[in-house]
């Protein structure tokens, strides 16, 4: 690799990959914070917060955040998978055992996260689906794209059939859902044992969601990210590429309309709304990514890429850190604000937590080569203890 090429690759990593990861983390936090801040986080609205402002914030959240940012994060996982293969090749290490250790480490961290810190988790899902990606790493790009399309076809067929032929009204009894939400809120407001009980109790429902909708779309994004990395889609970008503008022109109207339909007809409480969102959310996620890339490569927006990059480089630590922060702020383990914050306040908390992570990430990486969770996972993956402190050159 020439010096110029190396510099281009480094610049691309800083302004594109890490900035995109950080941006995705913000969106994930805005959605996930409800699982710690209230038991009313799925299909029923908290009657204590039913003003027009509360409804408007929930609508905006579902339209612009719900089901979008985990897709972008999943795409980046697939993209990084190829970078991991290249890193193993440079190190002269066998990729398969190295990647299996990495996936096992992710699964262990995810299990701790979803039992002790927050309801639900993506790391365990990434570890399991990452094993499928590992098994498919030798497939041609065309095959990977066909499988990704087939996964979305499965969603269209499965969810479409349930809309047409199944009466699901009995599954959405408002009174029983209200009682369940109140019980969840009470559990989260209790001690550590009560919180853990709530996290475990939600796992069957979370697993069903993964198997029927989020899992297939996540794997599809893995495959798309893998193909994109093979073709160097994010390498050497200037922000002026015509295809970025096309993605924006198509992605924003399709994604926003789909998100608005999803939000307006009941979000997760309406199967048709979920299906519409599943089919249109990738367009909005892609438009977000294209917009951020164009911004961070502009003269006026270059600072944004440099600001976000450290948080993205520490994405694993920050993802787990978000769980710790929401546990301490909202549950009975900490300040116990669960059930006492409005939808707007939840969103403000999310942005405040993320802003703090941006500052802390920059401070941390000035002194260390990796985030704490990345350092631990790297040690387990490579079977070699990495340096804890960053070397200071004189």
């Amino acid at each position: 690799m020439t010096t110029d090429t190396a510099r281009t690759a480094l610049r691309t990593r800083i302004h594109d990959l890490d900035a995109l990861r950080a941006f995705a983390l913000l969106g994930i936090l805005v959605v996930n914070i409800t699982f710690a801040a209230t038991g009313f986080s799925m299909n029923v609205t908290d009657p204590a917060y039913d003003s027009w402002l509360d409804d408007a914030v929930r609508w905006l959240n579902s339209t612009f955040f719900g089901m979008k940012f985990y897709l972008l994060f999943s795409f980046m996982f697939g993209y990084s998978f190829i970078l991991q293969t290249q890193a193993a090749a440079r190190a002269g290490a066998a990729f398969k055992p190295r990647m299996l250790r990495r996936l096992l480490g992710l699964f262990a961290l995810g299990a701790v996260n979803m039992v002790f810190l927050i309801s639900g988790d993506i790391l365990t899902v990434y570890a399991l689906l990452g094993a499928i990606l590992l098994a498919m790493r030798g497939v041609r790009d065309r095959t990977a794209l066909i499988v990704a399309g087939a996964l979305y076809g499965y969603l269209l067929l499965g969810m479409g059939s349930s809309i047409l032929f199944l009466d699901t009204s009995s599954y959405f009894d408002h009174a029983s859902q209200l009682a369940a939400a109140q019980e969840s809120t009470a559990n989260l407001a209790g001690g550590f044992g009560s919180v853990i009980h709530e996290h475990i109790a939600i796992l069957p429902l979370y697993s069903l969601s993964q198997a029927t909708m989020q899992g297939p779309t996540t794997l599809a994004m893995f495959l798309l990210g893998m193909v994109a990395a093979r073709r160097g889609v994010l390498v050497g970008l200037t922000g002026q590429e015509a295809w970025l503008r096309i993605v924006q022109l198509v992605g924003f109207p399709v994604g926003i309309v789909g998100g608005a339909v999803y939000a307006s007809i009941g979000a997760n409480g309406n199967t048709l709304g979920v299906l519409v969102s599943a089919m249109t959310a990738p367009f909005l996620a892609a438009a977000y990514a294209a917009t951020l890339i164009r911004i961070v490569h502009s003269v006026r927006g270059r600072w944004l890429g440099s600001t976000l990059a450290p948080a993205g480089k520490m994405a694993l630590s920050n993802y787990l850190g978000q769980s710790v922060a929401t546990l301490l702020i909202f549950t009975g383990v900490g300040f116990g604000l669960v059930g006492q914050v409005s939808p707007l306040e939840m969103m403000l908390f999310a942005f405040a937590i993320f802003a703090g992570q941006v500052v802390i990430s920059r401070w941390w990486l000035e002194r260390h080569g990796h985030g704490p969770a990345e350092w631990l996972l790297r040690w387990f993956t490579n079977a070699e203890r990495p340096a804890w402190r960053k070397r200071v050159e004189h």
Side-chain angles (χ1 to χ4, degrees):
M1 180 180 287
T2 65
T3 301
D4 290 342
T5 304
R7 287 174 179 168
T8 298
L10 178 60
R11 180 175 58 84
T12 299
R13 172 182 170 83
I14 291 175
H15 288 93
D16 297 339
L17 303 183
D18 290 334
L20 285 171
R21 286 192 191 96
F23 181 61
L25 276 174
L26 171 60
I28 288 172
L29 177 58
V30 169
V31 174
N32 283 354
I33 199 169
T34 60
F35 294 100
T38 178
F40 295 83
S41 55
M42 294 296 288
N43 305 326
V44 62
T45 299
D46 187 345
Y49 299 102
D50 60 355
S51 70
W52 69 267
L53 178 59
D54 298 323
D55 290 339
V57 173
R58 276 189 285 261
W59 188 90
L60 291 171
N61 193 323
S62 295
T63 299
F64 294 100
F65 291 88
M67 298 177 65
K68 281 80 176 176
F69 285 88
Y70 84 87
L71 295 175
L72 179 56
F73 206 62
S74 300
F75 177 90
M76 300 309 301
F77 183 93
Y79 200 102
S80 297
F81 176 83
I82 296 300
L83 301 184
Q84 290 290 327
T85 66
Q86 296 169 353
R90 288 194 300 269
F95 175 69
K96 185 176 180 179
R98 185 171 178 165
M99 192 63 187
L100 285 173
R101 289 194 299 270
R102 182 176 182 84
L103 294 175
L104 182 60
L106 280 177
F107 187 88
L109 289 171
V112 171
N113 186 46
M114 69 181 178
V115 171
F116 296 102
L117 301 180
I118 196 170
S119 299
D121 169 73
I122 62 172
L123 299 180
T124 50
V125 177
Y126 278 18
L128 295 173
L129 296 180
I132 298 176
L133 187 65
L134 179 62
M136 295 183 63
R137 72 188 188 282
V139 303
R140 294 181 299 175
D141 289 355
R142 182 172 179 271
T143 302
L145 294 175
I146 290 174
V147 172
L151 289 167
Y152 269 90
Y154 154 78
L155 284 180
L156 180 61
L157 180 63
M159 297 183 71
S161 298
S162 69
I163 293 169
L164 293 174
F165 303 114
L166 295 179
D167 180 11
T168 60
S169 58
S170 60
Y171 301 136
F172 299 107
D173 177 67
H174 181 76
S176 61
Q177 285 189 325
L178 182 63
Q182 290 170 337
E183 182 181 358
S184 295
T185 301
N187 288 338
L188 291 171
F192 200 32
S194 177
V195 171
I196 292 174
H197 170 78
E198 177 61 25
H199 292 168
I200 294 175
I202 200 69
L203 288 181
L205 180 60
Y206 181 73
S207 299
L208 179 62
S209 171
Q210 292 298 326
T212 57
M213 198 281 294
Q214 195 166 351
T217 54
T218 296
L219 181 56
M221 290 300 110
F222 280 8
L223 293 169
L224 292 178
M226 181 179 73
V227 172
R230 285 175 175 176
R231 300 190 176 191
V233 170
L234 299 181
V235 175
L237 294 178
T238 65
Q240 301 301 313
E241 288 76 10
W243 67 266
L244 291 173
R245 291 189 290 274
I246 293 173
V247 168
Q248 290 176 300
L249 290 173
V250 175
F252 276 121
V254 173
I256 292 175
V257 169
V261 170
Y262 166 67
S264 299
I265 64 176
N268 288 340
N270 185 288
T271 305
L272 176 59
V274 173
L275 178 58
V276 170
S277 182
M279 295 298 146
T280 59
F283 289 90
L284 189 52
Y288 284 154
T291 301
L292 183 63
I293 289 171
R294 294 191 67 191
I295 290 174
V296 301
H297 282 281
S298 67
V299 174
R300 293 183 177 180
R302 195 169 297 156
W303 66 270
L304 181 61
S306 300
T307 300
L308 291 176
K313 189 175 181 181
M314 288 176 50
L316 177 59
S317 295
N318 283 323
Y319 173 73
L320 295 172
Q322 290 172 357
S323 298
V324 173
T326 55
L327 177 80
L328 295 177
I329 293 171
F330 298 109
T331 74
V333 176
F335 293 101
L337 296 182
V338 60
Q340 302 178 43
V341 291
S342 69
L344 178 59
E345 290 167 335
M346 289 183 208
M347 187 170 289
L348 293 176
F349 266 116
F351 278 91
I353 291 169
F354 181 74
Q357 289 186 312
V358 168
V359 174
I360 292 171
S361 296
R362 177 175 291 278
W363 173 85
W364 181 273
L365 290 177
E366 288 175 351
R367 294 158 177 79
H368 304 83
H370 312 282
E374 285 80 5
W375 178 85
L376 185 63
L377 184 61
R378 190 180 184 90
W379 186 358
F380 187 74
T381 299
N382 299 341
E384 181 181 349
R385 184 178 183 274
W388 176 249
R389 303 283 296 189
K390 180 181 287 187
R391 291 183 179 179
V392 180
E393 297 181 0
H394 299 283

